[in-house]
Amino acid sequence: MLTIKDKKRYSRHILLDEVGELGQQKLKNAHVLVIGCGGLGCPVLQYLAAAGIGQLGIIDDDRVDVSNLQRQILFTENHAGALKVEAAKEVLTRLNSQLKIETYPTRLSADNALDLFAKYDVIVEGSDSFSTKYLANDAAVLTNKPLVFGSIFKFEGQVSVFNYKNGPTYRCVYPEPVSEAEMPTCSEVGVLGILPGIIGMFQANEVLKIILDLGNVLSGKLLIYNSLEASQILLPFAKNEAIKISELIELDLSCTIPSIPEIDYSAYAEAKEIYFLVDVREQEEREHFSLGGLHIPLKELLANPQVLAAQENLVLYCASGKRSAVGVKALIEHFPLKKIVNLKGGVSAVIFTES
Ligand SMILES: Nc1ncnc2c1ncn2[C@@H]1O[C@H](COP(=O)(O)OP(=O)(O)OP(=O)(O)O)[C@@H](O)[C@H]1O
């Protein structure tokens, strides 16, 4: 039941015929789980808490870093080093003391996903990991929960609702997982802090629509928002009935490719002259900062490794060492006799070491 305080607090919701007291009661009764308390999770949680979603779950094992503050708007400088889920709970409780907030300072995994999802009505995906997105999708299908999906890359964001009333899923749009090593993260390519805010608010809006049974839920449609053009398109997609999910398998799309030979920057710098340096990043990343060397973006290198046939003692680098590890692996397969190594931590490690 809504209390007198609730009725005052949510009066602007209740005034809407489409919401009313009944709708606000539905929000109060709702259980929503947010995966990832980062750029997307923060705005989602802030709006859901303000809207009066009664029970919120937050899962994330990460701690607040100062570089998060530019977009992870629940956190303040004082939270640096704190567990994100605890910092978020503290802030959200100050915003709305009536909420029940459950925190899970761990990563979503094949071991915990089904039990966790079972406790919630709606799941929001706000991680920055493809394996987590596939895992959340499959767990949503197996537990029959709607999954409110969001993702961002540079200036563009995507939103959709998967498995809504048995509708299409993430795998219907993206059947083939990409290797995370080939997809750089915010810490590698950067992001304008406002974009995850916009996409997170689209996600929060879908959560309310699902709970209140309002409007057209973004099921079977992928909303693509371009922040530079201030434009958006809706791409329709259908359910692929051939895709069957019967168990949870955690995909290993991770960037850490085992047994890739590495060199750290100081060792490389001491003997630069004996190495042939190759930058596998994209042009715009190189314009921003470069360690020099020959520039061959990863895709081009994978398409034509022969371009390095004449070089010896190769050192490959990218922003964090993930994409270059993919390049090193491919080159070793192509030139088994050559010495080919990865620059550990990529450009980020160099900037960090030298700052
Ligand atoms: N399997 C998972 N379970 C729970 N949380 C996850 C999982 N995978 C990723 N996350 C969380 O999702 C959040 C994504 O946030 P965001 O994309 O803003 O990146 P970040 O990791 O905080 O920052 P940066 O990429 O700049 O280091 C992170 O807090 C991360 O810990």
Side-chain angles (χ1 to χ4, degrees):
M1 279 288 289
L2 293 184
T3 61
I4 294 170
K5 269 190 177 173
D6 287 338
K7 287 182 193 169
K8 187 163 183 339
R9 179 171 189 136
Y10 302 111
S11 58
R12 303 305 189 266
H13 272 168
I14 293 169
L15 275 172
L16 290 164
D17 288 341
E18 293 82 352
V19 181
E21 285 191 22
L22 192 65
Q24 193 61 46
Q25 182 68 58
K26 286 185 189 168
L27 297 179
K28 190 174 179 175
N29 293 345
H31 294 66
V32 178
L33 175 70
V34 178
I35 304 164
C37 191
L40 295 170
C42 282
V44 169
L45 285 161
Q46 190 161 36
Y47 271 88
L48 295 185
I53 299 288
Q55 285 77 210
L56 287 170
I58 318 171
I59 179 165
D60 198 321
D61 63 340
D62 197 13
R63 289 176 184 272
V64 178
D65 182 89
V66 284
S67 67
N68 296 154
L69 301 181
Q70 156 259 23
R71 66 188 184 286
Q72 303 185 14
I73 40 93
L74 289 178
F75 310 131
T76 62
E77 291 168 10
N78 294 340
H79 289 125
L83 275 169
K84 287 182 177 179
V85 289
E86 292 309 326
K89 182 175 179 174
E90 175 215 313
V91 173
L92 296 171
T93 306
R94 267 192 275 129
L95 167 66
N96 195 339
S97 58
Q98 299 304 304
L99 305 182
K100 292 196 182 75
I101 302 175
E102 203 69 54
T103 55
Y104 308 96
T106 183
R107 289 182 82 72
L108 187 81
S109 68
D111 293 333
N112 60 25
L114 297 179
D115 288 344
L116 199 55
F117 280 26
K119 297 181 186 159
Y120 293 89
D121 306 310
V122 181
I123 317 294
V124 181
E125 211 295 316
S127 81
D128 55 352
S129 132
F130 284 102
S131 48
T132 303
K133 289 183 189 299
Y134 281 95
L135 178 71
N137 178 75
D138 296 355
V141 172
L142 292 172
T143 53
N144 198 20
K145 309 283 173 174
L147 180 75
V148 181
F149 164 89
S151 78
I152 50 165
F153 182 67
K154 294 181 84 175
F155 300 104
E156 209 168 83
Q158 300 187 349
V159 191
S160 192
V161 178
F162 299 128
N163 199 48
Y164 178 67
K165 300 186 175 168
N166 203 23
T169 77
Y170 188 45
R171 287 183 186 272
C172 303
V173 198
Y174 297 111
E176 288 293 313
V178 262
S179 152
E180 293 194 346
E182 290 168 59
M183 267 324 267
T185 62
C186 295
S187 58
E188 296 174 324
V189 288
V191 62
L192 267 191
I194 290 129
L195 179 64
I198 295 170
I199 299 301
M201 277 191 251
F202 271 118
Q203 289 181 278
N205 194 44
E206 291 306 308
V207 173
L208 293 206
K209 282 162 62 185
I210 292 169
I211 296 167
L212 297 170
D213 211 358
L214 275 185
N216 289 317
V217 170
L218 262 179
S219 169
K221 283 170 262 175
L222 185 71
L223 185 152
I224 303 178
Y225 174 79
N226 182 311
S227 64
L228 294 184
E229 301 300 325
S231 65
Q232 67 188 59
I233 49 169
L234 274 183
L235 285 183
F237 61 95
K239 181 159 175 155
N240 182 345
E241 300 290 350
I243 297 173
K244 300 272 179 255
I245 294 154
S246 53
E247 58 173 333
L248 271 194
I249 300 168
E250 222 160 313
L251 296 168
D252 184 11
L253 308 173
S254 81
C255 327
T256 20
I257 295 165
S259 68
I260 290 293
E262 287 187 324
I263 183 168
D264 60 29
Y265 182 69
S266 52
Y268 160 76
E270 273 169 26
K272 262 184 187 164
E273 54 296 339
I274 66 163
Y275 291 109
F276 188 88
L277 192 63
V278 181
D279 179 357
V280 302
R281 299 172 303 160
E282 299 301 314
Q283 179 62 30
E284 62 262 31
E285 296 175 83
R286 188 169 167 91
E287 282 163 15
H288 179 61
F289 179 84
S290 167
L291 300 174
L294 183 66
H295 181 216
I296 315 174
L298 181 63
K299 267 191 194 148
E300 288 174 31
L301 182 66
L302 296 179
N304 182 20
Q306 238 356 74
V307 70
L308 290 170
Q311 271 72 38
E312 292 298 331
N313 258 353
L314 294 161
V315 176
L316 268 60
Y317 77 94
C318 66
S320 72
K322 294 175 189 170
R323 281 171 289 164
S324 48
V326 176
V328 169
K329 186 168 178 275
L331 285 181
I332 289 174
E333 279 163 17
H334 203 79
F335 304 114
L337 300 179
K338 276 189 201 285
K339 183 172 179 200
I340 304 163
V341 297
N342 193 26
L343 188 68
K344 193 175 175 183
V347 165
S348 312
V350 178
I351 295 172
F352 187 69
T353 315
E354 296 197 334
S355 61

